[in-house]
Amino acid sequence: MHTTLKVLTTAILATTLVGCIGPIKEKEAPISLETQKVAQETQQAQLPTPVLKRKIALGRITNETSYGKSLLRDSQGDPLGKQTADMLAKALRESNQFTVLERTDLASLSKESQLTGNQFQAVGADVLVIGSITEFGRRTDGVSEFWRSTKSQIAYAKMDVRLVDTSNGVVIASFSGAGEARAESGSILGYGARTTYDGTLNDKAISLAVSDVVSKMVNGLANRPWRTAFLTLEPGSIAISGGTSQGLKPGMELVVKAMGKSVKSAQTGFNVQLPGQEIARIRVIQTFGDTAETEGSLVQLVSGSLAGQQVDKLIVEEIK
């Protein structure tokens, strides 16, 4: 009788504990993708409207780890690097902080433009992003005891990027992003969930790393003033480059500066642009254009003077 009671008690206890364990649970660490998205949306809501978007293009994005490489795969066969580049382009676009210019498939775009009879207009970017996956791997952790066992599959990814000023090739900033995703299972007295190899953890870890690095890029570029140039200074028709897709809207005021003198630094060997002098302020009265490449804005003079100025000697900046 006592033996039967002990067996029944053990069985009930095992069933109860197994029920507590439940099915496989996926965890994203250290910060979940959803948490990062909420943080980005909150940050965007706090930014002044409209957001003046910078033109950004993706350069080399590669996999520099040993994962996914073999003797039969050349530098062109880099699926992990291509996947990361696609994720990065998507995240930059969804951040609503940048105008993302296509560079990876530029040749295909040019060829398609010729087939349609349209002239392809390549537009230069303000910033070029270059980077790579520098760490990537998987491991399995767990505990195995007499009455219970647990198992965790963990994927970890880290990427490093640098932002290059396209006007002089100088690296203006560098950022790192990391992401970790895991799936867990466990059993008690042989009862419980089992888990097999989960290949989606790789994608989730990379996605988290990309989201992390984009968040840091948004913060890192927030203090750099957006700028553009005049299209024309004709009387009664003053226009600047940039329109709706870059965040300009009627009523917005901008500052006009005369370019400072460019001098070569004996210390660095680079040409240094001296600070420009404010000569006028303008207000957007109308935007035009169908695409980001053809957009512009008509403006009117608010203060100062533009008389006698040359278009290529002026800079238009946002007011900080």
Side-chain angles (χ1 to χ4, degrees), residues 27-33 36 84 87 132-139 153-160 176-182 200-214 216:
K27 294 185 179 180
E28 297 171 343
I31 302 176
S32 71
L33 182 59
Q36 292 190 31
T84 304
M87 286 184 175
S132 61
I133 295 289
T134 53
E135 294 181 30
F136 186 84
R138 292 183 64 117
R139 70 178 190 274
Q153 296 181 52
I154 304 168
Y156 175 81
K158 179 184 177 183
M159 70 177 304
D160 294 320
S176 295
E180 182 180 287
R182 65 173 66 199
T200 64
L201 292 182
N202 299 351
D203 304 331
K204 292 175 182 178
I206 296 172
S207 181
L208 286 167
V210 167
S211 181
D212 188 24
V213 82
V214 169
K216 293 176 180 177

Side-chain angles (χ1 to χ4, degrees), residues 36 40 43 98 158-159 161 163 173-178 209-222:
Q36 292 190 31
Q40 286 185 8
Q43 180 187 49
F98 307 99
K158 179 184 177 183
M159 70 177 304
V161 300
L163 309 184
S174 60
F175 304 99
S176 295
V210 167
S211 181
D212 188 24
V213 82
V214 169
S215 295
K216 293 176 180 177
M217 286 172 58
V218 171
N219 292 328
L221 292 177

Side-chain angles (χ1 to χ4, degrees), residues 186-307:
S187 64
I188 295 178
L189 297 178
Y191 296 93
R194 294 288 191 274
T195 179
T196 58
Y197 182 85
D198 187 352
T200 64
L201 292 182
N202 299 351
D203 304 331
K204 292 175 182 178
I206 296 172
S207 181
L208 286 167
V210 167
S211 181
D212 188 24
V213 82
V214 169
S215 295
K216 293 176 180 177
M217 286 172 58
V218 171
N219 292 328
L221 292 177
N223 295 325
R224 293 178 63 86
W226 174 90
R227 59 173 51 181
T228 187
F230 281 98
L231 293 173
T232 176
L233 283 176
E234 296 178 4
S237 179
I238 306 176
I240 62 174
S241 181
T244 304
S245 67
Q246 290 199 44
L248 274 69
K249 67 178 182 180
M252 185 174 189
E253 292 192 4
L254 303 165
V255 62
V256 182
K257 295 182 179 180
M259 284 187 183
K261 184 179 180 182
S262 179
V263 295
K264 186 173 183 178
S265 169
Q267 180 193 46
T268 65
F270 284 95
N271 288 332
V272 177
Q273 191 82 32
L274 299 181
Q277 180 182 3
E278 179 178 335
I279 61 172
R281 294 206 172 190
I282 55 177
R283 180 183 295 118
V284 177
I285 58 175
Q286 179 185 338
T287 58
F288 60 89
D290 300 325
T291 65
E293 294 79 12
T294 60
E295 283 183 349
S297 299
L298 296 177
V299 300
Q300 64 182 11
L301 192 64
V302 175
S303 63
S305 174
L306 297 175

